[in-house]
Amino acid sequence: MPFVMVDIEADGPIPGDYSMVSFGAVIVEPGLQRTFYGQLKPISGRWIPEALAVSGHSREETLGFEEPAAVMQGFADWLEREVKGRPHFIADNNGFDWSFINWYFHHFLGTNPFGYSSTNLGSLYKGVVRDLFQNFKHLRTTRHDHHPVNDAKGNAEALLALAKQYGLKLPR
């Protein structure tokens, strides 16, 4: 049950009404070499220009991205190849990222390989350091630039640093 750090970019606040533009995932292990990246064609005619701008893509560009069903199948296949046992979803903002990944998996494939739960990296950090006002982001090495693979890697780096500093055993 290894951790899979995920980050998504979207053109609005909720799945279904708005679209997931892209997402990245990395298996949390030393080296962070096993990654996945997907860019998805919009599923809705609605988008918020300011939200889409965060991704660095234009609406016209996203209309040329891959069909969501194919991207989600590719992600499911990657998880099956790369992860022994059930993968465990973890993200910086799992309430947001999880909602899109979960919705897209169920909508396009009828199932979610992650199951029904996820972990919030920020909450995990606060618990380990025993301070509800602390933030893990200083532990990132990779710059947070809203490319979802880079952002997932930075968050995974923070989790690995936290585990090393506090002697935490990460799932494999």
Side-chain angles (χ1 to χ4, degrees):
M1 178 181 89
F3 278 127
V4 179
M5 188 70 69
V6 178
D7 184 75
I8 77 112
E9 299 299 330
D11 64 11
I14 58 172
D17 289 347
Y18 298 95
S19 303
M20 181 165 56
V21 173
S22 61
F23 68 93
V26 60
I27 295 174
V28 180
E29 63 189 2
L32 303 174
Q33 294 300 309
R34 296 190 289 164
T35 65
F36 184 89
Y37 179 57
Q39 294 179 311
L40 305 89
K41 181 181 284 189
I43 59 166
S44 163
R46 298 174 66 183
W47 78 94
I48 299 171
E50 297 81 12
L52 181 58
V54 172
S55 74
H57 298 290
S58 68
R59 179 65 173 187
E60 294 72 30
E61 190 177 2
T62 65
L63 292 171
F65 288 172
E66 198 170 353
E67 291 295 332
V71 176
M72 297 313 291
Q73 186 61 61
F75 188 33
D77 293 345
W78 179 81
L79 287 167
E80 188 174 325
R81 270 192 322 274
E82 298 294 334
V83 174
K84 305 298 178 235
R86 180 182 295 257
H88 189 86
F89 186 102
I90 185 167
D92 174 12
N93 183 356
N94 70 319
F96 183 76
D97 297 327
W98 167 256
S99 69
F100 277 91
I101 293 291
N102 186 52
W103 189 93
Y104 271 71
F105 265 134
H106 281 285
H107 184 79
F108 291 105
L109 303 184
T111 187
N112 181 349
F114 291 107
Y116 295 100
S117 63
S118 65
T119 297
N120 181 285
L121 177 59
S123 297
L124 177 67
Y125 181 79
K126 290 172 187 338
V128 170
V129 301
R130 300 177 60 123
D131 185 340
L132 296 176
F133 299 99
Q134 292 298 310
N135 188 303
F136 73 89
K137 295 178 182 182
H138 65 282
L139 296 174
R140 293 175 176 155
T141 302
T142 301
R143 188 172 71 89
H144 189 85
D145 62 4
H146 293 288
H147 185 291
V149 173
N150 293 342
D151 294 354
K153 276 188 172 183
N155 293 336
E157 291 161 353
L159 179 56
L160 289 170
L162 178 67
K164 183 178 180 181
Q165 183 177 351
Y166 288 92
L168 304 176
K169 182 178 176 183
L170 294 177
R172 297 195 179 266

